[in-house]
Amino acid sequence: MIFRKFIFFVFLLSLFATFSLARADSPPTTLIANGRAEYRFDYRGDKTPIEITLDAPGVDALELLVYTPAELEAAKRGDALVPIGRGTRGQGHDLIWSGVFNAPGVYQVAVENHTPAPILYHLDIRGESVSGIAQILADAPQNNSAFSMENGTRVLTVNLPPGAGQAQLRISVPNAPAACTHANEIAPTLSHSLKLCPSEIYPPLHLVGTNVALYSDDARSALVTSSGRQFAITIEGANNLVEGVMIQASADASDFGAWLCQYDECVFPTLPVKTTLRGGILYGGGILLRGSNSTIHNVTVHGGTIGIATLNGRANYLIDNQLNDLNGWGSYNWASSGSYFVGNTINRENHPCATPDGFKFEHGCETAGWTCVACTSNIVARNHCESSANCFYLSGERGLASNYNRLIANYCAGASDNCFELTFSRGNILQDNVATADPDTGGACNYPFWIGGSTVYFQNNAWQCAVSVDDALARAQNSTRVPTVALSLDSLNIAVPIVVPTPVVNTITSAPTSPLPPASTPAPAPKQLYRE
């Protein structure tokens, strides 16, 4: 117990080094030459005083700017962004601003460095009715992947961040057919590579085999469609590819505004009889991948409940896909191992709902940008998530732990529940990730992470959410009797072996229609966390 408390204490010290609250007693923050740093805070609008101070010893060319919610909203409509106030020198500070407002909402503060060199500064935002102070951290654009031809073979090169075990992936993929196949020529099941024709609309496609590819037309003007609880594309086998395809799906009407079940079924204790929801991959959506060593690259999915689902896959590659505004999950994965999820955009997977037993939620309802159940040794890197309920969600409930996964350099902004949730699991690593406010709305992420019942390794993350690091840890520890342990790789000098997924060939061409946990397993009770 003494050792565990020591670990917890050292971990907190290392985390606070990167949790840059705008307080005078925080470490100094670096701002690049001619750079701008933005902060957000919540204010009750009750005319209690706000005081903001900025100190950067030896620096004169600084600006401190304050913006109201109304000014920020006007800027979104195209008006010039004009600050309500500017800091002035005085009261022992380089710059100070104070004031009161009668409008509640999200306010913003900007610090500008008008010098040709980087500076160190302290920003302090204080007030009785001020809360949720956090820096708004931008996501740097990444050049994740590119194709090349090598000895007649098409190769996809994927850049990986430090900590992934290797600098690049080099994936050999099937070549595109020379001619396209028209929509009216599609067979019910396809076992050969296919290229879509420009501007045509295709029915759901089913591809089965090895080294089978589905390519969009060069302009990406073709559409593959699905409706209700079906997938636009189902692909089975090994060493297969879906490249550049545009998908238009639509969720089943009964799934809108519903609590979504991640499993084959969820049982709710309604009266006079229990209510059973059928879920998992049965919801349908964009792509269902049954197989291994396959690649889905540069795909866009509109509508539907699931963007891309993988089932019992090994060494798959989901790279640079656009999976936004889905009804449930951008990327849904069951029993994935040794796979790579890199550079995907998974924004706004979130909706309100009412559960069959009467609970109502304004957001969440088990939706997430990226979710994985019973997943092992995957690399999840450089993905971008804004305003989803949970951005990265590995639930270990029902004994379905996800272990030894590495989540590296991912960006989460404005998640209404948790940026990173890893429960009842072990050996997972959170490294170089960012949890911050939504850059467009200023809306805070709620919890930076939720790790109840898990042992998780942390390194060099930036946590800027409404719930602080120590509160997130304490509440996770108090949520379960299963030990919750947070370990800092930096402070304790712990080296965790990097398990590099090995490509495998899996010729399985069929699988169960859905994951099958025991039918008697009750649905997990809605977490109090989601109602705070």
Side-chain angles (χ1 to χ4, degrees):
M1 179 60 73
I2 294 175
F3 176 69
R4 181 178 170 190
K5 288 183 177 179
F6 170 75
I7 289 175
F8 183 80
F9 175 71
V10 174
F11 169 72
L12 281 178
L13 289 179
S14 67
L15 275 187
F16 275 117
T18 56
F19 184 73
S20 180
L21 274 178
R23 296 295 183 193
D25 55 358
S26 65
T29 303
T30 302
L31 185 57
I32 62 173
N34 300 304
R36 177 183 170 102
E38 296 179 336
Y39 293 78
R40 55 92 62 204
F41 65 90
D42 295 304
Y43 179 66
R44 289 204 299 264
D46 55 1
K47 294 186 178 182
T48 55
I50 305 168
E51 182 179 274
I52 305 172
T53 60
L54 176 65
D55 292 291
V59 180
D60 292 325
L62 281 177
E63 277 198 282
L64 173 65
L65 309 171
V66 182
Y67 302 95
T68 67
E71 291 162 343
L72 297 169
E73 190 62 34
K76 293 177 191 175
R77 298 193 297 266
D79 296 346
L81 182 59
V82 179
I84 191 71
R86 296 174 181 269
T88 58
R89 185 176 295 275
Q91 300 183 34
H93 296 284
D94 291 324
L95 293 174
I96 184 170
W97 178 92
S98 60
V100 300
F101 299 104
N102 60 7
V106 177
Y107 289 72
Q108 288 191 14
V109 177
V111 177
E112 292 186 352
N113 171 19
H114 297 294
T115 75
I119 64 169
L120 293 174
Y121 69 91
H122 280 287
L123 178 68
D124 183 16
I125 304 174
R126 296 182 185 273
E128 176 186 339
S129 299
V130 169
S131 62
I133 304 164
Q135 186 175 358
I136 300 175
L137 303 173
D139 190 19
Q142 302 288 340
N143 183 15
N144 293 306
S145 63
F147 278 110
S148 61
M149 293 298 294
E150 300 180 9
N151 299 320
T153 300
R154 200 172 197 201
V155 176
L156 178 64
T157 300
V158 182
N159 297 319
L160 299 174
Q166 53 188 322
Q168 287 185 332
L169 296 173
R170 294 175 56 79
I171 309 165
S172 297
V173 299
N175 292 329
C180 70
T181 301
H182 293 285
N184 60 5
E185 299 171 343
I186 297 296
T189 301
L190 301 163
S191 58
H192 59 273
S193 293
L194 185 73
K195 184 175 181 179
L196 305 181
C197 295
S199 303
E200 295 197 15
I201 299 176
Y202 289 78
L205 304 176
H206 187 189
L207 290 83
V208 178
T210 301
N211 295 316
V212 176
L214 175 62
Y215 279 87
S216 179
D217 62 290
D218 294 340
R220 302 184 70 199
S221 61
L223 276 180
V224 183
T225 61
S226 69
S227 61
R229 288 192 162 196
Q230 63 177 172
F231 283 94
I233 298 168
T234 300
I235 186 164
E236 304 180 19
N239 305 317
N240 297 318
L241 168 72
V242 181
E243 166 58 34
V245 175
M246 304 288 290
I247 296 173
Q248 181 63 63
S250 60
D252 189 89
S254 65
D255 297 330
F256 286 114
W259 175 275
L260 298 178
C261 177
Q262 288 197 95
Y263 309 96
D264 179 66
E265 63 179 37
C266 297
V267 181
F268 287 83
T270 53
L271 296 174
V273 296
K274 295 179 179 179
T275 299
T276 299
L277 298 181
R278 302 282 293 178
I281 63 170
L282 296 181
Y283 287 114
I287 297 176
L288 172 59
L289 173 60
R290 301 174 183 269
S292 296
N293 211 33
S294 294
T295 302
I296 301 176
H297 176 257
N298 197 29
V299 164
T300 298
V301 181
H302 295 289
T305 293
I306 301 174
I308 299 173
T310 70
L311 180 62
N312 300 326
R314 301 200 299 275
N316 288 316
Y317 307 92
L318 273 64
I319 312 295
D320 288 344
N321 300 292
Q322 296 289 320
L323 310 172
N324 302 316
D325 301 295
L326 281 304
N327 185 53
W329 306 284
S331 176
Y332 174 94
N333 306 281
W334 185 278
S336 172
S337 64
S339 296
Y340 288 82
F341 303 84
V342 181
N344 302 289
T345 303
I346 43 179
N347 295 340
R348 298 176 298 278
E349 269 70 89
N350 201 346
H351 69 233
C353 71
T355 64
D357 52 348
F359 288 96
K360 293 184 178 180
F361 298 90
E362 296 181 358
H363 49 74
C365 304
E366 292 296 274
T367 59
W370 180 87
T371 190
C372 217
V373 180
C375 293
T376 304
S377 300
N378 299 285
I379 302 292
V380 185
R382 288 182 176 158
N383 300 287
H384 181 104
C385 177
E386 294 180 14
S387 299
S388 290
N390 301 283
C391 273
F392 302 91
Y393 186 23
L394 295 97
S395 173
E397 294 173 343
R398 305 192 183 196
L400 297 167
S402 291
N403 302 322
Y404 306 111
N405 302 284
R406 284 180 173 256
L407 287 79
I408 307 172
N410 299 290
Y411 177 86
C412 169
S416 61
D417 295 323
N418 309 297
C419 271
F420 298 85
E421 179 168 339
L422 305 90
T423 56
F424 305 106
S425 60
R426 64 184 185 276
N428 294 301
I429 293 176
L430 291 173
Q431 174 189 335
D432 298 325
N433 299 291
V434 171
T436 187
D438 188 300
D440 296 322
T441 67
C445 49
N446 190 15
Y447 278 69
F449 51 81
W450 184 262
I451 59 169
S454 296
T455 297
V456 181
Y457 297 90
F458 290 75
Q459 185 174 52
N460 194 38
N461 301 284
W463 306 126
Q464 299 283 347
C465 292
V467 177
S468 67
V469 170
D470 55 343
D471 283 348
L473 284 169
R475 295 178 195 181
Q477 286 188 314
N478 293 332
S479 69
T480 175
R481 294 181 180 179
V482 179
T484 299
V485 181
L487 299 172
S488 169
L489 296 180
D490 289 324
S491 296
L492 297 179
N493 196 27
I494 296 173
V496 178
I498 297 175
V499 179
V500 179
T502 302
V504 298
V505 176
N506 184 341
T507 58
I508 296 174
T509 57
S510 62
T513 57
S514 60
L516 295 172
S520 60
T521 304
K527 302 179 180 67
Q528 178 66 32
L529 167 62
Y530 295 157
R531 288 181 281 183
E532 292 185 346

